[in-house]
């Protein structure tokens, strides 16, 4: 028994050390040292492991339970980036509704090359009409999906550029508009100044570089055999993709952050950052901004509905001059991302 306890103790120390490495991930640029980003992505599983270890030591009635407990508490800001701790009814009828939604080009309404699944398409539109927000920021749209949404939702003002897959839609008056140039059509960032009750706010719709490993991860999880060479080749390809994508996201995040810093207007950044709260990307863009989920969300903040579980990669980030009244991750089966909806207002109603 003592040997088991000794092994358990050393395992506890190892998990805690890995968790502390994950805590460092937001502060290290992947272009300087890219492997640390893996630990940031693994944080939800490290958190779960720490919790299981804590329970294990409590069952054994050993004081070593203080080690994982201390580790979790020391990383409390990381915990609240993944788990919303707001209890009770946080919904509000005040402020304006802002939604960010990665539609994946409405690809979920297609069944291979057989044509569109009209019922699913109608479900998507019905959902958007029912929850029609004051400001709608979209990512991964194509011409077909965009024209369908514009036709059915009837927003008065729209900002979208040709060959760009992001958009901003609203009925409020729209002033200056523009883009943050990434040098690629796959990813984009658009911005628009929108006048709300006499005050202009600047909204961003952002879609950063994807790791593009979802299908590979699904194949490994569902079909992979660890003893087969093909499985290891797939894993190697995933690591390479994550490495290069992480570096590119870091550069894109810096571009967005610099542009946000030039605005004198209250800023709201919406979109798919393709990175978790334990990442350099998130920390770079969210610096001096409030995370709507941290302020008004509850439960697990998972926004990715694909093959890789427990990822929060879609955000609404608001200026410190704004009040976040609530936030809801809407778990609907219309994309490989869940839409995020939040109510926001100027502080003190001014």
């Amino acid at each position: 028994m003592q040997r088991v306890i000794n092994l358990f103790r050393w395992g506890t120390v190892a998990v805690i050390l890995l968790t502390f490495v994950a805590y460092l991930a937001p502060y290290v640029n992947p272009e300087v040292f890219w492997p640390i980003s893996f630990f940031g992505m693994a944080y939800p599983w490290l958190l779960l492991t720490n919790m299981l270890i804590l329970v294990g030591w409590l069952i054994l009635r050993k004081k070593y339970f203080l080690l994982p407990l201390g580790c979790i508490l020391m990383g409390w800001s990381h915990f609240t980036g993944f788990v919303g701790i707001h209890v009770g009814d946080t919904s509000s009828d005040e402020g304006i509704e802002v939604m960010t939604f990665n539609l994946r080009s409405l690809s979920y309404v297609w069944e291979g090359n057989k044509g569109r699944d009209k019922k699913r398409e109608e479900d998507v539109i019905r959902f958007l009409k029912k929850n029609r927000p004051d400001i709608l920021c979209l990512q991964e749209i194509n011409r077909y999906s965009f024209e369908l949404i514009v036709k059915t939702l009837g927003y008065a003002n729209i900002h979208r550029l040709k060959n760009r897959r992001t958009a901003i839609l609203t009925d409020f008056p729209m002033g200056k508009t523009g883009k943050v140039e990434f040098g690629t059509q796959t990813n984009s960032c658009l911005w628009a100044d929108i006048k709300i009750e006499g005050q202009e706010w600047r909204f961003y719709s952002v879609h950063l570089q994807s790791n593009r490993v979802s299908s590979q991860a699904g194949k490994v999880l569902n079909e992979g055999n660890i003893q087969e060479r093909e499985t290891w080749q797939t894993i190697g390809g995933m690591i390479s993709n994550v490495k290069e994508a992480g570096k590119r996201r870091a550069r894109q995040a810096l571009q967005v952050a610099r542009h946000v810093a030039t605005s004198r207007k209250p800023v709201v950044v919406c979109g798919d950052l393709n990175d978790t709260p334990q990442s350099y990307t998130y920390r770079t863009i969210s610096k001096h901004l409030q995370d709507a989920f941290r302020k008004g969300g509850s439960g697990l903040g998972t926004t990715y509905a694909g093959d890789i579980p427990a990822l929060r990669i879609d955000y609404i980030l608001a200026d410190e001059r704004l009040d976040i009244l609530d936030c809801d991750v809407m778990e609907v089966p219309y994309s490989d991302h869940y839409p995020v909806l939040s109510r926001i207002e100027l502080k003190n109603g001014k």
Side-chain angles (χ1 to χ4, degrees):
M1 182 64 178
Q2 186 59 45
R3 184 177 181 181
V4 172
I5 290 177
N6 287 338
L7 288 173
F8 194 28
R9 183 166 57 239
W10 283 112
T12 300
V13 171
V15 170
I16 289 173
L17 289 175
L18 293 175
T19 305
F20 279 122
V21 174
Y23 292 166
L24 292 175
Y27 303 94
V28 180
N29 189 329
E31 292 200 284
V32 176
F33 185 67
W34 65 268
I36 198 168
S37 60
F38 284 98
F39 294 94
M41 286 189 290
Y43 169 76
W45 304 106
L46 291 169
L47 173 63
L48 176 61
T49 305
N50 273 285
M51 289 180 169
L52 293 174
I53 290 172
L54 189 155
V55 172
W57 284 122
L58 286 174
I59 292 172
L60 292 171
R61 297 184 180 182
K62 299 289 185 179
K63 62 183 179 181
Y64 294 114
F65 79 89
L66 293 172
L67 294 174
L69 177 61
C71 179
I72 293 170
L73 293 178
M74 289 180 69
W76 189 250
S77 63
H78 298 272
F79 180 89
T80 57
F82 179 63
V83 181
I85 57 176
H86 297 270
V87 296
D89 185 8
T90 60
S91 61
S92 172
D93 293 327
E94 303 297 324
I96 63 161
E97 279 192 330
V98 180
M99 179 187 287
T100 183
F101 195 2
N102 181 321
L103 276 175
R104 204 190 181 195
S105 303
L106 281 184
S107 62
Y108 272 36
V109 307
W110 293 80
E111 297 293 338
N113 295 317
K114 300 177 182 178
R116 298 197 307 271
D117 181 338
K118 293 295 293 184
K119 181 182 183 304
R120 187 178 290 273
E121 179 179 300
E122 290 167 0
D123 288 343
V124 174
I125 297 303
R126 189 179 300 113
F127 165 79
L128 289 173
K129 289 177 71 174
K130 178 181 178 181
N131 297 279
R132 188 180 187 274
D134 299 305
I135 313 288
L136 177 60
C137 295
L138 298 174
Q139 302 86 44
E140 284 202 71
I141 55 171
N142 57 14
R143 181 178 176 181
Y144 165 75
S145 58
F146 180 71
E147 290 179 351
L148 179 63
I149 289 169
V150 169
K151 178 181 177 181
T152 53
L153 298 187
Y155 280 104
N157 296 299
I158 297 163
H159 177 38
R160 178 178 180 257
L161 298 178
K162 185 179 180 181
N163 298 325
R164 293 295 186 272
R165 304 187 68 190
T166 50
I168 303 172
L169 302 89
T170 184
D171 286 326
F172 288 117
M174 188 177 287
K176 291 182 178 180
T177 61
K179 64 179 178 178
V180 179
E181 182 58 62
F182 294 152
T184 174
Q185 295 181 8
T186 305
N187 309 112
S188 59
C189 174
L190 302 184
W191 61 268
D193 292 339
I194 297 174
K195 183 172 285 189
I196 301 168
E197 296 181 356
Q199 168 74 55
E200 277 197 332
W201 303 15
R202 178 163 292 180
F203 285 83
Y204 291 80
S205 182
V206 184
H207 179 226
L208 301 189
Q209 179 66 44
S210 169
N211 289 321
R212 296 183 177 179
V213 297
S214 180
S215 60
Q216 293 171 301
K219 183 178 180 180
V220 171
L221 291 172
N222 299 321
E223 305 172 15
N225 184 334
I226 204 68
Q227 296 179 342
E228 292 182 357
R229 182 179 179 182
E230 183 181 353
T231 299
W232 285 105
Q233 289 177 334
T234 301
I235 293 173
M238 291 170 59
I239 293 172
S240 178
N241 286 347
V242 170
K243 171 186 173 181
E244 295 306 317
K247 291 180 178 181
R248 181 172 292 184
R249 273 197 307 276
R251 295 191 292 268
Q252 293 171 345
L254 285 167
Q255 288 180 261
V256 174
R258 288 167 183 156
H259 196 281
V260 167
T262 66
S263 175
R264 295 185 178 182
K265 305 174 178 70
V267 166
V268 180
V269 178
C270 300
D272 172 13
L273 303 188
N274 269 309
D275 235 331
T276 69
Q278 291 75 39
S279 68
Y280 179 83
T281 298
Y282 171 86
R283 181 175 178 271
T284 299
I285 294 179
S286 67
K287 196 172 184 180
H288 306 308
L289 298 176
Q290 306 172 86
D291 186 328
F293 178 75
R294 290 179 187 265
K295 289 287 185 177
S298 59
L300 294 180
T302 301
T303 67
Y304 183 64
D307 292 320
I308 304 175
L311 291 181
R312 184 163 91 92
I313 58 178
D314 302 87
Y315 305 90
I316 296 177
L317 306 170
D319 198 288
E320 293 177 347
R321 290 169 284 181
L322 304 173
D323 266 334
I324 295 169
L325 306 178
D326 62 24
C327 183
D328 182 23
V329 178
M330 310 175 80
E331 296 187 6
V332 291
Y334 305 136
S335 171
D336 59 345
H337 293 251
Y338 297 134
V340 181
L341 181 68
S342 179
R343 280 191 175 270
I344 304 173
E345 68 177 4
L346 282 172
K347 284 188 175 178
N348 302 318
K350 296 181 181 180

